[in-house]
Amino acid sequence: MTAPDPELAHRRFIGLLAERGAFSAEWTRPVFERVPRYAFAPDTVYVWREEHWRPVRRQDDPGK
């Protein structure tokens, strides 16, 4: 198994954001395209589940 290509993952993320209308101002997409993913999407985030904050780690599910 090979490691995911960070550039490809970044382009996919930008495409997903664009599909969802995240770039309403014309300056936002170029900024997101230039900023590395880790600067705005950390490897660990927390979600509220079952009355507790639970970590969601990129290495546990790289496709999310």
Side-chain angles (χ1 to χ4, degrees):
M1 181 178 198
T2 61
D5 176 9
E7 290 294 321
L8 179 59
H10 187 69
R11 287 192 304 270
R12 286 181 179 162
F13 184 61
I14 297 297
L16 179 64
L17 289 173
E19 288 173 11
R20 295 183 179 187
F23 304 121
S24 57
E26 64 183 58
W27 62 267
T28 54
R29 184 172 183 143
V31 170
F32 271 82
E33 289 174 339
R34 287 179 181 87
V35 175
R37 181 206 53 81
Y38 64 82
F40 60 86
D43 289 331
T44 302
V45 295
Y46 293 84
V47 295
W48 185 257
R49 289 190 188 141
E50 303 170 9
E51 304 296 321
H52 300 284
W53 287 104
R54 308 278 183 188
V56 177
R57 294 178 185 87
R58 180 171 300 278
Q59 70 259 17
D60 295 341
D61 192 352
K64 284 194 169 185

